[in-house]
Each structure stands twice: as C-alpha cells, then as structure tokens.
Amino acid sequence: MERQMLQRAREAFFSGRARPLEFRVQQLHALQRMLTEKEKDISTALRQDINRNQYDTPLLELIGIENDIKLAIEKLSDWAAPRPVEKNLLTLSDEVYIQPEPLGVVLIIGAWNYPWALTLLPLVGAIAAGNHFY
C-alpha cells in the first residue's frame, strides 16, 4: 500500500500539475479553508484524543498554521522568482541566475503532542515549494 501511495505521489509530481504558482496558491487557500471550516471538529478531536482544552487548540495548533499559510501565499511569487547571481570573468556574457525548482516527493511525519501543527506546518512548505507529499 505504501509503495502504491509513493508511486502515485511520484506520478503526480512528474505530471507537473503542482508546478504553476497558481495551483500552489489554490492549494494553500484550500488548506486555509479546511482549517477554518473544521476548527470545531479539530478541537473536539483533540479533546477526545489527548484531552486538550478546546480553547487551547486555536492558540497552540491552528494560529501558527494559518499565519504560515498567509505568509506563503503572500511571498510565494518572490520565493519562486529567479535570483540573480554575481557574474565572474567566465560568465560575463551569460545570463546567470538561480531558479528555485520543486524537488519531488516529501514524506511528512507528525507527532502526537501537537498533531496538527507538527504535520501541517511542513505541509504548507511542501505545497508552497511545489512538491508532492504522502
């Protein structure tokens, strides 16, 4: 099952679907919407699972994720833009720059004590970078 999931994630990455910045921003907005719509359910689940006070969940788990999503949406075009590189004698006539590119598939492993924050914060970065995850 895990190999199939990994294979599907790799196929999705190689399809190029997540490369456009518009797609990444759309995915980040969808993640933000899910957190907003399911905040009560998330709080209830954490109360039942680890006995966390329902009022602590937004503070300890969700606010940080929401702030990272907003930052990623705001800065994504800057992060993905080519960056100029200092030229030297060998590259004087060349156009040289660093172009950030997605690298592939990432594995995100969470933790029991802050399951949402420690799982979704890396997910925000993976989505913003254009990587696929499983």
Side-chain angles (χ1 to χ4, degrees):
M1 181 67 172
E2 291 172 7
R3 288 183 192 259
Q4 292 171 345
M5 289 173 43
L6 177 59
Q7 185 60 34
R8 282 196 313 264
R10 284 183 176 150
E11 288 170 4
F13 174 76
F14 288 120
S15 76
R17 186 177 72 169
R19 290 183 73 85
L21 296 184
E22 299 80 23
F23 179 82
R24 300 181 208 179
V25 169
Q26 177 187 14
Q27 295 295 78
L28 290 168
H29 281 296
L31 182 59
Q32 176 65 51
R33 217 173 21 261
M34 185 272 299
L35 289 173
T36 302
E37 291 172 1
K38 300 296 183 184
E39 181 176 340
K40 186 175 179 181
D41 295 336
I42 294 167
S43 294
T44 300
L46 288 174
R47 172 80 174 129
Q48 293 171 351
D49 192 29
I50 59 175
N51 201 25
R52 176 165 299 145
N53 183 317
Q54 69 181 10
Y55 302 108
D56 288 344
T57 297
L59 178 64
L60 298 175
E61 299 267 0
L62 304 180
I63 290 174
I65 301 167
E66 291 171 356
N67 288 338
D68 273 16
I69 291 171
K70 289 176 189 173
L71 178 68
I73 290 169
E74 178 185 319
K75 298 286 188 176
L76 186 56
S77 60
D78 293 337
W79 294 341
R83 290 184 216 116
V85 176
E86 190 174 316
K87 293 183 179 188
N88 61 35
L89 188 58
L90 297 173
T91 60
L92 259 174
S93 62
D94 297 332
E95 181 181 346
V96 292
Y97 56 89
I98 296 172
Q99 175 66 55
E101 294 285 337
L103 295 177
V105 176
V106 297
L107 172 65
I108 298 171
I109 300 174
W112 68 270
N113 55 342
Y114 294 97
W116 287 84
L118 296 178
T119 305
L120 294 187
L121 285 172
L123 176 64
V124 172
I127 292 171
N131 294 307
H132 280 269
F133 46 89
Y134 80 104

